[in-house]
PDB file of all heavy atoms in Angstrom:
ATOM      1  N   ALA A 563       0.737   1.259 -27.159  1.00  0.00           N
ATOM      2  CA  ALA A 563       1.416   2.481 -26.737  1.00  0.00           C
ATOM      3  C   ALA A 563       1.059   2.830 -25.297  1.00  0.00           C
ATOM      4  O   ALA A 563       1.931   3.216 -24.501  1.00  0.00           O
ATOM      5  CB  ALA A 563       1.056   3.635 -27.662  1.00  0.00           C
ATOM      6  N   ARG A 564      -0.205   2.667 -24.939  1.00  0.00           N
ATOM      7  CA  ARG A 564      -0.621   2.948 -23.569  1.00  0.00           C
ATOM      8  C   ARG A 564       0.016   1.958 -22.600  1.00  0.00           C
ATOM      9  O   ARG A 564       0.438   2.329 -21.511  1.00  0.00           O
ATOM     10  CB  ARG A 564      -2.136   2.910 -23.458  1.00  0.00           C
ATOM     11  CG  ARG A 564      -2.626   3.358 -22.106  1.00  0.00           C
ATOM     12  CD  ARG A 564      -3.953   4.002 -22.164  1.00  0.00           C
ATOM     13  NE  ARG A 564      -4.296   4.546 -20.855  1.00  0.00           N
ATOM     14  CZ  ARG A 564      -5.509   4.707 -20.437  1.00  0.00           C
ATOM     15  NH1 ARG A 564      -6.523   4.412 -21.227  1.00  0.00           N
ATOM     16  NH2 ARG A 564      -5.760   5.188 -19.242  1.00  0.00           N
ATOM     17  N   LEU A 565       0.101   0.703 -23.007  1.00  0.00           N
ATOM     18  CA  LEU A 565       0.735  -0.300 -22.155  1.00  0.00           C
ATOM     19  C   LEU A 565       2.218   0.001 -21.972  1.00  0.00           C
ATOM     20  O   LEU A 565       2.741  -0.079 -20.867  1.00  0.00           O
ATOM     21  CB  LEU A 565       0.557  -1.715 -22.738  1.00  0.00           C
ATOM     22  CG  LEU A 565       1.230  -2.840 -21.965  1.00  0.00           C
ATOM     23  CD1 LEU A 565       0.693  -2.930 -20.545  1.00  0.00           C
ATOM     24  CD2 LEU A 565       1.039  -4.154 -22.675  1.00  0.00           C
ATOM     25  N   ASP A 566       2.900   0.362 -23.054  1.00  0.00           N
ATOM     26  CA  ASP A 566       4.317   0.711 -22.947  1.00  0.00           C
ATOM     27  C   ASP A 566       4.531   1.834 -21.949  1.00  0.00           C
ATOM     28  O   ASP A 566       5.420   1.766 -21.089  1.00  0.00           O
ATOM     29  CB  ASP A 566       4.886   1.105 -24.316  1.00  0.00           C
ATOM     30  CG  ASP A 566       5.048  -0.069 -25.257  1.00  0.00           C
ATOM     31  OD1 ASP A 566       5.020  -1.228 -24.796  1.00  0.00           O
ATOM     32  OD2 ASP A 566       5.210   0.174 -26.467  1.00  0.00           O
ATOM     33  N   ALA A 567       3.725   2.878 -22.039  1.00  0.00           N
ATOM     34  CA  ALA A 567       3.847   4.017 -21.128  1.00  0.00           C
ATOM     35  C   ALA A 567       3.548   3.594 -19.697  1.00  0.00           C
ATOM     36  O   ALA A 567       4.239   3.987 -18.749  1.00  0.00           O
ATOM     37  CB  ALA A 567       2.915   5.137 -21.563  1.00  0.00           C
ATOM     38  N   THR A 568       2.530   2.776 -19.532  1.00  0.00           N
ATOM     39  CA  THR A 568       2.156   2.315 -18.185  1.00  0.00           C
ATOM     40  C   THR A 568       3.254   1.448 -17.581  1.00  0.00           C
ATOM     41  O   THR A 568       3.592   1.599 -16.409  1.00  0.00           O
ATOM     42  CB  THR A 568       0.840   1.520 -18.249  1.00  0.00           C
ATOM     43  OG1 THR A 568      -0.180   2.371 -18.770  1.00  0.00           O
ATOM     44  CG2 THR A 568       0.422   1.018 -16.879  1.00  0.00           C
ATOM     45  N   VAL A 569       3.813   0.548 -18.371  1.00  0.00           N
ATOM     46  CA  VAL A 569       4.877  -0.332 -17.877  1.00  0.00           C
ATOM     47  C   VAL A 569       6.095   0.494 -17.455  1.00  0.00           C
ATOM     48  O   VAL A 569       6.662   0.265 -16.385  1.00  0.00           O
ATOM     49  CB  VAL A 569       5.250  -1.405 -18.913  1.00  0.00           C
ATOM     50  CG1 VAL A 569       6.525  -2.125 -18.546  1.00  0.00           C
ATOM     51  CG2 VAL A 569       4.104  -2.386 -19.068  1.00  0.00           C
ATOM     52  N   ARG A 570       6.480   1.460 -18.262  1.00  0.00           N
ATOM     53  CA  ARG A 570       7.631   2.303 -17.899  1.00  0.00           C
ATOM     54  C   ARG A 570       7.375   3.047 -16.590  1.00  0.00           C
ATOM     55  O   ARG A 570       8.261   3.174 -15.748  1.00  0.00           O
ATOM     56  CB  ARG A 570       7.919   3.326 -19.003  1.00  0.00           C
ATOM     57  CG  ARG A 570       8.706   2.761 -20.142  1.00  0.00           C
ATOM     58  CD  ARG A 570       9.234   3.859 -21.064  1.00  0.00           C
ATOM     59  NE  ARG A 570       8.180   4.691 -21.613  1.00  0.00           N
ATOM     60  CZ  ARG A 570       7.469   4.403 -22.702  1.00  0.00           C
ATOM     61  NH1 ARG A 570       7.719   3.282 -23.354  1.00  0.00           N
ATOM     62  NH2 ARG A 570       6.537   5.221 -23.150  1.00  0.00           N
ATOM     63  N   ARG A 571       6.161   3.502 -16.392  1.00  0.00           N
ATOM     64  CA  ARG A 571       5.812   4.284 -15.210  1.00  0.00           C
ATOM     65  C   ARG A 571       5.564   3.417 -13.965  1.00  0.00           C
ATOM     66  O   ARG A 571       5.935   3.788 -12.856  1.00  0.00           O
ATOM     67  CB  ARG A 571       4.571   5.129 -15.524  1.00  0.00           C
ATOM     68  CG  ARG A 571       4.178   6.105 -14.445  1.00  0.00           C
ATOM     69  CD  ARG A 571       2.920   6.908 -14.819  1.00  0.00           C
ATOM     70  NE  ARG A 571       1.771   6.045 -14.992  1.00  0.00           N
ATOM     71  CZ  ARG A 571       1.135   5.822 -16.147  1.00  0.00           C
ATOM     72  NH1 ARG A 571       1.543   6.405 -17.254  1.00  0.00           N
ATOM     73  NH2 ARG A 571       0.098   5.022 -16.214  1.00  0.00           N
ATOM     74  N   GLU A 572       4.945   2.262 -14.133  1.00  0.00           N
ATOM     75  CA  GLU A 572       4.422   1.501 -12.985  1.00  0.00           C
ATOM     76  C   GLU A 572       5.195   0.239 -12.621  1.00  0.00           C
ATOM     77  O   GLU A 572       4.992  -0.293 -11.542  1.00  0.00           O
ATOM     78  CB  GLU A 572       2.965   1.090 -13.265  1.00  0.00           C
ATOM     79  CG  GLU A 572       2.025   2.234 -13.489  1.00  0.00           C
ATOM     80  CD  GLU A 572       1.717   3.006 -12.238  1.00  0.00           C
ATOM     81  OE1 GLU A 572       1.817   2.444 -11.133  1.00  0.00           O
ATOM     82  OE2 GLU A 572       1.369   4.186 -12.353  1.00  0.00           O
ATOM     83  N   ARG A 573       6.050  -0.271 -13.484  1.00  0.00           N
ATOM     84  CA  ARG A 573       6.658  -1.591 -13.266  1.00  0.00           C
ATOM     85  C   ARG A 573       7.422  -1.678 -11.944  1.00  0.00           C
ATOM     86  O   ARG A 573       7.252  -2.632 -11.189  1.00  0.00           O
ATOM     87  CB  ARG A 573       7.585  -1.956 -14.422  1.00  0.00           C
ATOM     88  CG  ARG A 573       8.076  -3.387 -14.347  1.00  0.00           C
ATOM     89  CD  ARG A 573       8.845  -3.764 -15.614  1.00  0.00           C
ATOM     90  NE  ARG A 573       9.184  -5.151 -15.606  1.00  0.00           N
ATOM     91  CZ  ARG A 573      10.261  -5.656 -14.991  1.00  0.00           C
ATOM     92  NH1 ARG A 573      11.077  -4.857 -14.362  1.00  0.00           N
ATOM     93  NH2 ARG A 573      10.494  -6.947 -15.020  1.00  0.00           N
ATOM     94  N   GLY A 574       8.249  -0.707 -11.658  1.00  0.00           N
ATOM     95  CA  GLY A 574       9.015  -0.735 -10.416  1.00  0.00           C
ATOM     96  C   GLY A 574       8.142  -0.734  -9.179  1.00  0.00           C
ATOM     97  O   GLY A 574       8.348  -1.496  -8.234  1.00  0.00           O
ATOM     98  N   ARG A 575       7.139   0.151  -9.191  1.00  0.00           N
ATOM     99  CA  ARG A 575       6.204   0.212  -8.057  1.00  0.00           C
ATOM    100  C   ARG A 575       5.418  -1.079  -7.923  1.00  0.00           C
ATOM    101  O   ARG A 575       5.183  -1.554  -6.798  1.00  0.00           O
ATOM    102  CB  ARG A 575       5.219   1.367  -8.228  1.00  0.00           C
ATOM    103  CG  ARG A 575       5.779   2.687  -7.829  1.00  0.00           C
ATOM    104  CD  ARG A 575       4.691   3.724  -7.865  1.00  0.00           C
ATOM    105  NE  ARG A 575       4.476   4.063  -9.273  1.00  0.00           N
ATOM    106  CZ  ARG A 575       4.198   5.259  -9.705  1.00  0.00           C
ATOM    107  NH1 ARG A 575       4.054   6.242  -8.866  1.00  0.00           N
ATOM    108  NH2 ARG A 575       4.026   5.500 -10.982  1.00  0.00           N
ATOM    109  N   LEU A 576       5.009  -1.639  -9.050  1.00  0.00           N
ATOM    110  CA  LEU A 576       4.235  -2.877  -9.040  1.00  0.00           C
ATOM    111  C   LEU A 576       5.035  -4.008  -8.424  1.00  0.00           C
ATOM    112  O   LEU A 576       4.557  -4.716  -7.520  1.00  0.00           O
ATOM    113  CB  LEU A 576       3.797  -3.240 -10.465  1.00  0.00           C
ATOM    114  CG  LEU A 576       3.064  -4.552 -10.662  1.00  0.00           C
ATOM    115  CD1 LEU A 576       1.772  -4.569  -9.869  1.00  0.00           C
ATOM    116  CD2 LEU A 576       2.792  -4.780 -12.144  1.00  0.00           C
ATOM    117  N   ILE A 577       6.272  -4.166  -8.850  1.00  0.00           N
ATOM    118  CA  ILE A 577       7.128  -5.240  -8.315  1.00  0.00           C
ATOM    119  C   ILE A 577       7.417  -5.022  -6.844  1.00  0.00           C
ATOM    120  O   ILE A 577       7.354  -5.950  -6.041  1.00  0.00           O
ATOM    121  CB  ILE A 577       8.411  -5.367  -9.156  1.00  0.00           C
ATOM    122  CG1 ILE A 577       8.069  -5.908 -10.546  1.00  0.00           C
ATOM    123  CG2 ILE A 577       9.434  -6.277  -8.460  1.00  0.00           C
ATOM    124  CD1 ILE A 577       9.199  -5.860 -11.531  1.00  0.00           C
ATOM    125  N   ALA A 578       7.717  -3.779  -6.456  1.00  0.00           N
ATOM    126  CA  ALA A 578       7.992  -3.493  -5.043  1.00  0.00           C
ATOM    127  C   ALA A 578       6.782  -3.777  -4.166  1.00  0.00           C
ATOM    128  O   ALA A 578       6.905  -4.383  -3.089  1.00  0.00           O
ATOM    129  CB  ALA A 578       8.420  -2.033  -4.888  1.00  0.00           C
ATOM    130  N   ALA A 579       5.602  -3.372  -4.610  1.00  0.00           N
ATOM    131  CA  ALA A 579       4.394  -3.611  -3.819  1.00  0.00           C
ATOM    132  C   ALA A 579       4.093  -5.097  -3.699  1.00  0.00           C
ATOM    133  O   ALA A 579       3.735  -5.593  -2.619  1.00  0.00           O
ATOM    134  CB  ALA A 579       3.211  -2.875  -4.439  1.00  0.00           C
ATOM    135  N   LEU A 580       4.242  -5.825  -4.804  1.00  0.00           N
ATOM    136  CA  LEU A 580       4.000  -7.258  -4.757  1.00  0.00           C
ATOM    137  C   LEU A 580       5.006  -7.969  -3.855  1.00  0.00           C
ATOM    138  O   LEU A 580       4.632  -8.823  -3.055  1.00  0.00           O
ATOM    139  CB  LEU A 580       4.073  -7.859  -6.170  1.00  0.00           C
ATOM    140  CG  LEU A 580       2.907  -7.560  -7.096  1.00  0.00           C
ATOM    141  CD1 LEU A 580       3.265  -7.927  -8.522  1.00  0.00           C
ATOM    142  CD2 LEU A 580       1.662  -8.321  -6.638  1.00  0.00           C
ATOM    143  N   ALA A 581       6.280  -7.618  -3.992  1.00  0.00           N
ATOM    144  CA  ALA A 581       7.314  -8.252  -3.171  1.00  0.00           C
ATOM    145  C   ALA A 581       7.066  -7.977  -1.691  1.00  0.00           C
ATOM    146  O   ALA A 581       7.244  -8.863  -0.853  1.00  0.00           O
ATOM    147  CB  ALA A 581       8.698  -7.762  -3.596  1.00  0.00           C
ATOM    148  N   ALA A 582       6.650  -6.766  -1.358  1.00  0.00           N
ATOM    149  CA  ALA A 582       6.373  -6.425   0.040  1.00  0.00           C
ATOM    150  C   ALA A 582       5.204  -7.244   0.580  1.00  0.00           C
ATOM    151  O   ALA A 582       5.243  -7.715   1.721  1.00  0.00           O
ATOM    152  CB  ALA A 582       6.076  -4.934   0.165  1.00  0.00           C
ATOM    153  N   ARG A 583       4.186  -7.433  -0.239  1.00  0.00           N
ATOM    154  CA  ARG A 583       3.021  -8.208   0.201  1.00  0.00           C
ATOM    155  C   ARG A 583       3.332  -9.688   0.282  1.00  0.00           C
ATOM    156  O   ARG A 583       2.843 -10.393   1.165  1.00  0.00           O
ATOM    157  CB  ARG A 583       1.856  -8.006  -0.745  1.00  0.00           C
ATOM    158  CG  ARG A 583       1.247  -6.638  -0.619  1.00  0.00           C
ATOM    159  CD  ARG A 583       0.011  -6.558  -1.416  1.00  0.00           C
ATOM    160  NE  ARG A 583      -1.102  -6.493  -0.476  1.00  0.00           N
ATOM    161  CZ  ARG A 583      -2.329  -6.289  -0.816  1.00  0.00           C
ATOM    162  NH1 ARG A 583      -2.645  -6.144  -2.073  1.00  0.00           N
ATOM    163  NH2 ARG A 583      -3.278  -6.227   0.101  1.00  0.00           N
ATOM    164  N   LEU A 584       4.152 -10.176  -0.635  1.00  0.00           N
ATOM    165  CA  LEU A 584       4.475 -11.600  -0.639  1.00  0.00           C
ATOM    166  C   LEU A 584       5.444 -11.970   0.468  1.00  0.00           C
ATOM    167  O   LEU A 584       5.299 -13.006   1.094  1.00  0.00           O
ATOM    168  CB  LEU A 584       5.070 -12.000  -2.004  1.00  0.00           C
ATOM    169  CG  LEU A 584       4.120 -11.914  -3.182  1.00  0.00           C
ATOM    170  CD1 LEU A 584       4.883 -12.004  -4.494  1.00  0.00           C
ATOM    171  CD2 LEU A 584       3.054 -12.974  -3.097  1.00  0.00           C
ATOM    172  N   GLY A 585       6.460 -11.121   0.682  1.00  0.00           N
ATOM    173  CA  GLY A 585       7.453 -11.387   1.721  1.00  0.00           C
ATOM    174  C   GLY A 585       8.135 -12.734   1.524  1.00  0.00           C
ATOM    175  O   GLY A 585       7.841 -13.471   0.599  1.00  0.00           O
ATOM    176  N   GLY A 586       9.064 -13.017   2.375  1.00  0.00           N
ATOM    177  CA  GLY A 586       9.703 -14.328   2.358  1.00  0.00           C
ATOM    178  C   GLY A 586      10.688 -14.514   1.217  1.00  0.00           C
ATOM    179  O   GLY A 586      10.866 -13.648   0.376  1.00  0.00           O
ATOM    180  N   PRO A 587      11.342 -15.670   1.228  1.00  0.00           N
ATOM    181  CA  PRO A 587      12.344 -15.949   0.204  1.00  0.00           C
ATOM    182  C   PRO A 587      11.681 -16.081  -1.170  1.00  0.00           C
ATOM    183  O   PRO A 587      10.610 -16.649  -1.312  1.00  0.00           O
ATOM    184  CB  PRO A 587      12.958 -17.272   0.649  1.00  0.00           C
ATOM    185  CG  PRO A 587      11.967 -17.883   1.557  1.00  0.00           C
ATOM    186  CD  PRO A 587      11.182 -16.760   2.179  1.00  0.00           C
ATOM    187  N   GLY A 588      12.332 -15.531  -2.147  1.00  0.00           N
ATOM    188  CA  GLY A 588      11.814 -15.623  -3.509  1.00  0.00           C
ATOM    189  C   GLY A 588      10.718 -14.647  -3.837  1.00  0.00           C
ATOM    190  O   GLY A 588      10.134 -14.726  -4.920  1.00  0.00           O
ATOM    191  N   ALA A 589      10.421 -13.720  -2.936  1.00  0.00           N
ATOM    192  CA  ALA A 589       9.325 -12.787  -3.157  1.00  0.00           C
ATOM    193  C   ALA A 589       9.564 -11.889  -4.363  1.00  0.00           C
ATOM    194  O   ALA A 589       8.667 -11.654  -5.154  1.00  0.00           O
ATOM    195  CB  ALA A 589       9.071 -11.949  -1.913  1.00  0.00           C
ATOM    196  N   VAL A 590      10.793 -11.398  -4.509  1.00  0.00           N
ATOM    197  CA  VAL A 590      11.085 -10.506  -5.623  1.00  0.00           C
ATOM    198  C   VAL A 590      11.006 -11.269  -6.942  1.00  0.00           C
ATOM    199  O   VAL A 590      10.443 -10.771  -7.929  1.00  0.00           O
ATOM    200  CB  VAL A 590      12.462  -9.824  -5.462  1.00  0.00           C
ATOM    201  CG1 VAL A 590      12.827  -9.012  -6.694  1.00  0.00           C
ATOM    202  CG2 VAL A 590      12.470  -8.941  -4.218  1.00  0.00           C
ATOM    203  N   ASP A 591      11.527 -12.486  -6.973  1.00  0.00           N
ATOM    204  CA  ASP A 591      11.454 -13.294  -8.199  1.00  0.00           C
ATOM    205  C   ASP A 591       9.999 -13.571  -8.584  1.00  0.00           C
ATOM    206  O   ASP A 591       9.636 -13.428  -9.759  1.00  0.00           O
ATOM    207  CB  ASP A 591      12.188 -14.624  -8.023  1.00  0.00           C
ATOM    208  CG  ASP A 591      13.703 -14.459  -7.965  1.00  0.00           C
ATOM    209  OD1 ASP A 591      14.196 -13.415  -8.452  1.00  0.00           O
ATOM    210  OD2 ASP A 591      14.369 -15.360  -7.437  1.00  0.00           O
ATOM    211  N   LEU A 592       9.189 -13.944  -7.619  1.00  0.00           N
ATOM    212  CA  LEU A 592       7.777 -14.200  -7.887  1.00  0.00           C
ATOM    213  C   LEU A 592       7.095 -12.916  -8.336  1.00  0.00           C
ATOM    214  O   LEU A 592       6.300 -12.922  -9.285  1.00  0.00           O
ATOM    215  CB  LEU A 592       7.077 -14.776  -6.662  1.00  0.00           C
ATOM    216  CG  LEU A 592       5.583 -15.036  -6.795  1.00  0.00           C
ATOM    217  CD1 LEU A 592       5.279 -15.979  -7.955  1.00  0.00           C
ATOM    218  CD2 LEU A 592       5.024 -15.592  -5.483  1.00  0.00           C
ATOM    219  N   ALA A 593       7.393 -11.804  -7.679  1.00  0.00           N
ATOM    220  CA  ALA A 593       6.791 -10.515  -8.048  1.00  0.00           C
ATOM    221  C   ALA A 593       7.148 -10.142  -9.481  1.00  0.00           C
ATOM    222  O   ALA A 593       6.283  -9.682 -10.244  1.00  0.00           O
ATOM    223  CB  ALA A 593       7.242  -9.432  -7.072  1.00  0.00           C
ATOM    224  N   GLU A 594       8.394 -10.333  -9.863  1.00  0.00           N
ATOM    225  CA  GLU A 594       8.805 -10.035 -11.245  1.00  0.00           C
ATOM    226  C   GLU A 594       8.090 -10.945 -12.235  1.00  0.00           C
ATOM    227  O   GLU A 594       7.650 -10.491 -13.298  1.00  0.00           O
ATOM    228  CB  GLU A 594      10.312 -10.181 -11.390  1.00  0.00           C
ATOM    229  CG  GLU A 594      11.090  -9.082 -10.699  1.00  0.00           C
ATOM    230  CD  GLU A 594      12.598  -9.303 -10.739  1.00  0.00           C
ATOM    231  OE1 GLU A 594      13.042 -10.454 -10.967  1.00  0.00           O
ATOM    232  OE2 GLU A 594      13.321  -8.321 -10.522  1.00  0.00           O
ATOM    233  N   ASP A 595       7.961 -12.205 -11.892  1.00  0.00           N
ATOM    234  CA  ASP A 595       7.295 -13.158 -12.789  1.00  0.00           C
ATOM    235  C   ASP A 595       5.827 -12.809 -12.992  1.00  0.00           C
ATOM    236  O   ASP A 595       5.337 -12.793 -14.133  1.00  0.00           O
ATOM    237  CB  ASP A 595       7.403 -14.583 -12.257  1.00  0.00           C
ATOM    238  CG  ASP A 595       8.793 -15.166 -12.382  1.00  0.00           C
ATOM    239  OD1 ASP A 595       9.641 -14.575 -13.093  1.00  0.00           O
ATOM    240  OD2 ASP A 595       9.048 -16.229 -11.755  1.00  0.00           O
ATOM    241  N   VAL A 596       5.108 -12.534 -11.918  1.00  0.00           N
ATOM    242  CA  VAL A 596       3.676 -12.255 -12.064  1.00  0.00           C
ATOM    243  C   VAL A 596       3.443 -10.875 -12.660  1.00  0.00           C
ATOM    244  O   VAL A 596       2.426 -10.671 -13.354  1.00  0.00           O
ATOM    245  CB  VAL A 596       2.892 -12.447 -10.740  1.00  0.00           C
ATOM    246  CG1 VAL A 596       2.937 -13.911 -10.305  1.00  0.00           C
ATOM    247  CG2 VAL A 596       3.363 -11.528  -9.650  1.00  0.00           C
ATOM    248  N   ALA A 597       4.360  -9.939 -12.449  1.00  0.00           N
ATOM    249  CA  ALA A 597       4.246  -8.646 -13.116  1.00  0.00           C
ATOM    250  C   ALA A 597       4.370  -8.840 -14.623  1.00  0.00           C
ATOM    251  O   ALA A 597       3.590  -8.263 -15.402  1.00  0.00           O
ATOM    252  CB  ALA A 597       5.301  -7.668 -12.603  1.00  0.00           C
ATOM    253  N   GLN A 598       5.321  -9.662 -15.039  1.00  0.00           N
ATOM    254  CA  GLN A 598       5.470  -9.934 -16.467  1.00  0.00           C
ATOM    255  C   GLN A 598       4.248 -10.666 -17.012  1.00  0.00           C
ATOM    256  O   GLN A 598       3.791 -10.377 -18.119  1.00  0.00           O
ATOM    257  CB  GLN A 598       6.736 -10.767 -16.720  1.00  0.00           C
ATOM    258  CG  GLN A 598       7.052 -10.940 -18.175  1.00  0.00           C
ATOM    259  CD  GLN A 598       7.354  -9.626 -18.875  1.00  0.00           C
ATOM    260  OE1 GLN A 598       7.951  -8.727 -18.304  1.00  0.00           O
ATOM    261  NE2 GLN A 598       6.938  -9.509 -20.111  1.00  0.00           N
ATOM    262  N   ASP A 599       3.705 -11.598 -16.249  1.00  0.00           N
ATOM    263  CA  ASP A 599       2.486 -12.297 -16.678  1.00  0.00           C
ATOM    264  C   ASP A 599       1.326 -11.309 -16.851  1.00  0.00           C
ATOM    265  O   ASP A 599       0.520 -11.446 -17.773  1.00  0.00           O
ATOM    266  CB  ASP A 599       2.093 -13.371 -15.657  1.00  0.00           C
ATOM    267  CG  ASP A 599       3.050 -14.549 -15.639  1.00  0.00           C
ATOM    268  OD1 ASP A 599       3.901 -14.672 -16.550  1.00  0.00           O
ATOM    269  OD2 ASP A 599       2.948 -15.353 -14.688  1.00  0.00           O
ATOM    270  N   ALA A 600       1.229 -10.335 -15.955  1.00  0.00           N
ATOM    271  CA  ALA A 600       0.173  -9.328 -16.049  1.00  0.00           C
ATOM    272  C   ALA A 600       0.353  -8.461 -17.295  1.00  0.00           C
ATOM    273  O   ALA A 600      -0.616  -8.093 -17.961  1.00  0.00           O
ATOM    274  CB  ALA A 600       0.146  -8.467 -14.791  1.00  0.00           C
ATOM    275  N   ILE A 601       1.589  -8.148 -17.623  1.00  0.00           N
ATOM    276  CA  ILE A 601       1.877  -7.349 -18.823  1.00  0.00           C
ATOM    277  C   ILE A 601       1.476  -8.135 -20.082  1.00  0.00           C
ATOM    278  O   ILE A 601       0.859  -7.589 -21.000  1.00  0.00           O
ATOM    279  CB  ILE A 601       3.349  -6.941 -18.854  1.00  0.00           C
ATOM    280  CG1 ILE A 601       3.620  -5.944 -17.729  1.00  0.00           C
ATOM    281  CG2 ILE A 601       3.737  -6.356 -20.208  1.00  0.00           C
ATOM    282  CD1 ILE A 601       5.099  -5.716 -17.431  1.00  0.00           C
ATOM    283  N   VAL A 602       1.781  -9.416 -20.103  1.00  0.00           N
ATOM    284  CA  VAL A 602       1.380 -10.259 -21.238  1.00  0.00           C
ATOM    285  C   VAL A 602      -0.144 -10.320 -21.329  1.00  0.00           C
ATOM    286  O   VAL A 602      -0.717 -10.213 -22.423  1.00  0.00           O
ATOM    287  CB  VAL A 602       1.997 -11.683 -21.115  1.00  0.00           C
ATOM    288  CG1 VAL A 602       1.386 -12.636 -22.136  1.00  0.00           C
ATOM    289  CG2 VAL A 602       3.506 -11.609 -21.269  1.00  0.00           C
ATOM    290  N   ALA A 603      -0.809 -10.453 -20.178  1.00  0.00           N
ATOM    291  CA  ALA A 603      -2.281 -10.472 -20.178  1.00  0.00           C
ATOM    292  C   ALA A 603      -2.837  -9.150 -20.706  1.00  0.00           C
ATOM    293  O   ALA A 603      -3.838  -9.131 -21.424  1.00  0.00           O
ATOM    294  CB  ALA A 603      -2.799 -10.740 -18.765  1.00  0.00           C
ATOM    295  N   ALA A 604      -2.183  -8.051 -20.358  1.00  0.00           N
ATOM    296  CA  ALA A 604      -2.620  -6.739 -20.861  1.00  0.00           C
ATOM    297  C   ALA A 604      -2.465  -6.670 -22.367  1.00  0.00           C
ATOM    298  O   ALA A 604      -3.343  -6.157 -23.069  1.00  0.00           O
ATOM    299  CB  ALA A 604      -1.836  -5.631 -20.170  1.00  0.00           C
ATOM    300  N   LEU A 605      -1.349  -7.162 -22.886  1.00  0.00           N
ATOM    301  CA  LEU A 605      -1.152  -7.182 -24.351  1.00  0.00           C
ATOM    302  C   LEU A 605      -2.283  -7.944 -25.041  1.00  0.00           C
ATOM    303  O   LEU A 605      -2.780  -7.515 -26.077  1.00  0.00           O
ATOM    304  CB  LEU A 605       0.183  -7.847 -24.691  1.00  0.00           C
ATOM    305  CG  LEU A 605       1.427  -7.004 -24.598  1.00  0.00           C
ATOM    306  CD1 LEU A 605       2.665  -7.882 -24.766  1.00  0.00           C
ATOM    307  CD2 LEU A 605       1.410  -5.902 -25.633  1.00  0.00           C
TER     308      LEU A 605
END
């Protein structure tokens, strides 16, 4: 339940911050992938 609430609140910010730091082509795709990997690790 805590993870669900956190994901709803933080996912967009997390992906945006990662994509900004990664930069370059494919940054958003990589950011989405690693954000999902982090969510699985949290589970």
